[in-house]
Amino acid sequence: MAATGQRPERAYHQDYICRVRYENNLPPPPGSLKMLDIPIDGMDYYASPGFASRLHRSQPINIEANAELGMPIDLVGMPGVFDGDESSIQAPLLIPPVHPKDKTLLRPLSELGKPKYQGGGISFLRRTEYISSDTARARAEAAPKSTPRSPGQRLRKPVDTSKDDPVNVLRAAVKGFNIAHPDDAYIGPDTKDNIKGLDSTPAETEAWDNPKHPVRSNLKPLDFYPVLPDLEAVTDAGHYIVTKFTANPTQIIDKRDIRMDVGLLRPGDLSETVYAEYQSKMAAYEADSVNNIHPGAPPVNFHFFLPADETSAVNLSKKLDVDAPDRDDHALYTAQGGDGKGVFQLHHQRVYETWRSTAIDANHAHKEVALALHNPELEERRRNYRLDPQASSSNRSGKAAYYYPIIQKIQLKPHRSKNLAQLGVTARIEDQDDEGKVDAFDVVVEDLDETEKAKRAEHRAELLGEEGETQNGDA
């Protein structure tokens, strides 16, 4: 019997907080359960570690698979695979959209499980204390509405949207030229032909006079080159094409083959089937450029030609060098043509097909360029010290980094169907390139004619920003 003077125990309401960190929300496997006939006597035997291993060995997984394990590798049924067309065994260029039911399976690990909820003032690990909704509400009401700014903290400046104005962008570009050439800076009012650049700060002028590497401040520039167009190397088309082979095109592997410097690539004609397929891809891209990729340049096959020996390659390089002193010597020719005149013979090596092509928009022809550094002092020093006996005196008088615009980049690989036919794997297929195949070329180096001079003069005028230019007689 309890004493009458004892006070009754007071009951306190407590909340139990439990958080599940790992949870498996994946659905059960779709396969049916496999019932095993296991006797139930001897729990110690079934609970031993070796029971599961013996059960795994005695109950193999019943999988009925064919000889190819569900992945046929027979290429006989693939259309066109032995003709060089590998589209049937390649992945599609356009990845199909993911089905809405499959998007759930592509979620990252961080999104699996229940969504994380962080209550007010509750952390995962904390000391034991009484928590209620009234306490959280009181803390929220007691918290300040705004965080005071410290004296050393700076406010973020508002973004000046006027800087994106095209006129201001042009003024910023002109400012860079004014810093580089202050004597030529235009300081007058804005006109149709001239615009005044933005005012430069002392820090910008100091950065131009004493340039520093943005990351490695201990590096110092060794030399400076102005970037200029090479007006003497302007082609008839006004641009260049970069060609890369996927494999070594010659049999020389222990050193550099100098014959590659004067190699010749002759494009072949497209067949009607290939041209029609290319036109259909281009029409699909023009109709819907979102779901169709640009087909690029037409898949043209190229015939590759090289001189027979290194002597012919060296002499042909001298004939092509406008600065070589003996370029007009007819004794440089290593063969004779049908009319008895001197020629260079370039022999056919093999046929290459376009494996990958990247075309650059003609409106942005200077988006990618090749650079060549030219320093007359270094060239003169090399000739004086005989570091390069083949070095010739260039007509370029100024020191500059000359750039050459690139309009297209092509990667070539050997023609597959012809190589297989030569090995006897497939039957010989008459190709459109066989109709006009040439075994050798007789090359003669001559000066430019009037038509070629006019084309190059037009491209020079575009680079100089002039309406016309006097035609010169360079080669």
Side-chain angles (χ1 to χ4, degrees):
M1 182 175 179
T4 57
Q6 293 181 356
R7 299 177 58 185
E9 295 182 0
R10 183 178 179 182
Y12 294 94
H13 177 72
Q14 296 181 353
D15 294 334
Y16 176 72
I17 301 175
C18 178
R19 175 172 297 177
V20 180
R21 298 189 64 182
Y22 304 98
E23 184 177 352
N24 184 10
N25 288 337
L26 295 177
S32 59
L33 298 180
K34 181 178 181 180
M35 307 301 295
L36 302 178
D37 186 10
I38 302 176
I40 60 175
D41 53 344
M43 295 302 298
D44 296 337
Y45 170 74
Y46 300 118
S48 62
F51 174 75
S53 301
R54 289 190 297 270
L55 182 63
H56 173 70
R57 292 192 299 267
S58 61
Q59 299 292 336
I61 302 176
N62 186 15
I63 297 179
E64 296 181 0
N66 53 11
E68 298 172 345
L69 297 179
M71 299 178 61
I73 57 175
D74 189 4
L75 301 181
V76 175
M78 303 297 177
V81 69
F82 295 106
D83 300 335
D85 184 9
E86 301 179 355
S87 59
S88 59
I89 61 176
Q90 292 180 350
L93 298 178
L94 295 178
I95 301 176
V98 182
H99 194 272
K101 295 183 179 179
D102 296 334
K103 290 184 178 180
T104 306
L105 301 177
L106 300 178
R107 292 185 303 170
L109 297 177
S110 59
E111 297 183 4
L112 296 179
K114 292 184 177 181
K116 296 182 178 180
Y117 173 76
Q118 185 70 22
I122 300 176
S123 61
F124 180 71
L125 296 177
R126 63 181 298 117
R127 65 181 183 272
T128 305
E129 62 179 355
Y130 176 72
I131 302 174
S132 64
S133 59
D134 297 336
T135 306
R137 187 182 302 108
R139 291 179 179 178
E141 294 177 355
K145 299 301 181 181
S146 60
T147 304
R149 182 173 59 90
S150 59
Q153 184 179 2
R154 296 181 179 180
L155 293 176
R156 179 178 297 180
K157 296 181 179 180
V159 180
D160 188 4
T161 57
S162 61
K163 292 183 179 181
D164 297 335
D165 185 73
V167 178
N168 286 337
V169 174
L170 181 59
R171 293 183 189 275
V174 174
K175 180 182 68 173
F177 290 97
N178 294 343
I179 295 176
H181 304 282
D183 298 336
D184 300 337
Y186 179 75
I187 58 176
D190 296 342
T191 61
K192 181 180 180 181
D193 298 329
N194 295 317
I195 186 171
K196 182 180 178 181
L198 298 177
D199 297 334
S200 59
T201 61
E204 294 173 341
T205 306
E206 177 66 19
W208 172 261
D209 296 337
N210 300 310
K212 295 182 180 180
H213 196 274
V215 179
R216 305 174 64 180
S217 59
N218 58 335
L219 297 181
K220 302 295 181 182
L222 298 178
D223 207 344
F224 300 91
Y225 290 82
V227 181
L228 299 174
D230 192 351
L231 300 180
E232 298 180 3
V234 175
T235 62
D236 298 346
H239 51 258
Y240 289 83
I241 298 177
V242 177
T243 305
K244 181 179 180 181
F245 296 92
T246 57
N248 187 8
T250 64
Q251 301 297 329
I252 300 178
I253 59 176
D254 55 344
K255 63 177 182 178
R256 181 177 178 272
D257 193 352
I258 63 175
R259 298 181 301 165
M260 294 293 298
D261 297 339
V262 291
L264 177 64
L265 284 173
R266 176 176 177 266
D269 298 332
L270 289 177
S271 63
E272 296 181 358
T273 304
V274 176
Y275 184 74
E277 182 180 359
Y278 174 77
Q279 289 293 334
S280 62
K281 292 181 179 179
M282 181 61 71
Y285 171 76
E286 294 177 353
D288 186 4
S289 60
V290 178
N291 298 323
N292 298 282
I293 63 175
H294 194 283
V300 181
N301 294 339
F302 293 87
H303 298 263
F304 186 49
F305 297 83
L306 282 179
D309 49 25
E310 295 185 356
T311 303
S312 301
V314 173
N315 293 352
L316 180 55
S317 299
K318 292 182 179 179
K319 294 290 291 184
L320 296 176
D321 188 1
V322 296
D323 302 328
D326 57 344
R327 66 178 301 267
D328 296 331
D329 187 2
H330 292 280
L332 294 176
Y333 290 106
T334 57
Q336 289 185 355
D339 53 357
K341 296 182 179 180
V343 296
F344 294 104
Q345 285 190 352
L346 273 67
H347 301 275
H348 185 272
Q349 302 297 317
R350 64 179 62 183
V351 180
Y352 287 89
E353 62 182 10
T354 304
W355 179 54
R356 185 176 300 170
S357 176
T358 303
I360 301 175
D361 189 2
N363 298 327
H364 302 82
H366 295 77
K367 182 179 180 180
E368 296 189 16
V369 296
L371 287 178
L373 302 181
H374 173 67
N375 192 341
E377 297 180 359
L378 294 179
E379 293 185 0
E380 185 68 24
R381 192 181 307 170
R382 292 170 60 187
R383 288 193 300 270
N384 294 338
Y385 287 94
R386 298 182 180 180
L387 296 179
D388 188 3
Q390 302 295 336
S392 58
S393 59
S394 176
N395 294 329
R396 304 179 182 89
S397 57
K399 169 186 174 183
Y402 293 98
Y403 69 85
Y404 308 89
I406 298 174
I407 197 64
Q408 187 179 5
K409 294 185 293 184
I410 303 176
Q411 292 188 11
L412 302 178
K413 67 176 182 179
H415 202 328
R416 179 177 176 84
S417 61
K418 287 191 174 183
N419 295 341
L420 294 177
Q422 292 175 359
L423 296 175
V425 178
T426 59
R428 182 68 178 180
I429 300 177
E430 295 297 333
D431 201 311
Q432 70 274 8
D433 296 329
D434 293 337
E435 300 177 358
K437 181 180 178 181
V438 179
D439 295 331
F441 266 111
D442 291 343
V443 179
V444 179
V445 181
E446 298 178 349
D447 293 336
L448 300 178
D449 55 17
E450 297 300 328
T451 303
E452 295 171 338
K453 291 180 182 179
K455 291 181 179 179
R456 301 192 180 197
E458 182 179 355
H459 293 301
R460 291 193 187 98
E462 294 178 358
L463 293 175
L464 295 176
E466 301 174 355
E467 297 182 356
E469 182 185 0
T470 304
Q471 300 179 5
N472 50 24
D474 57 346

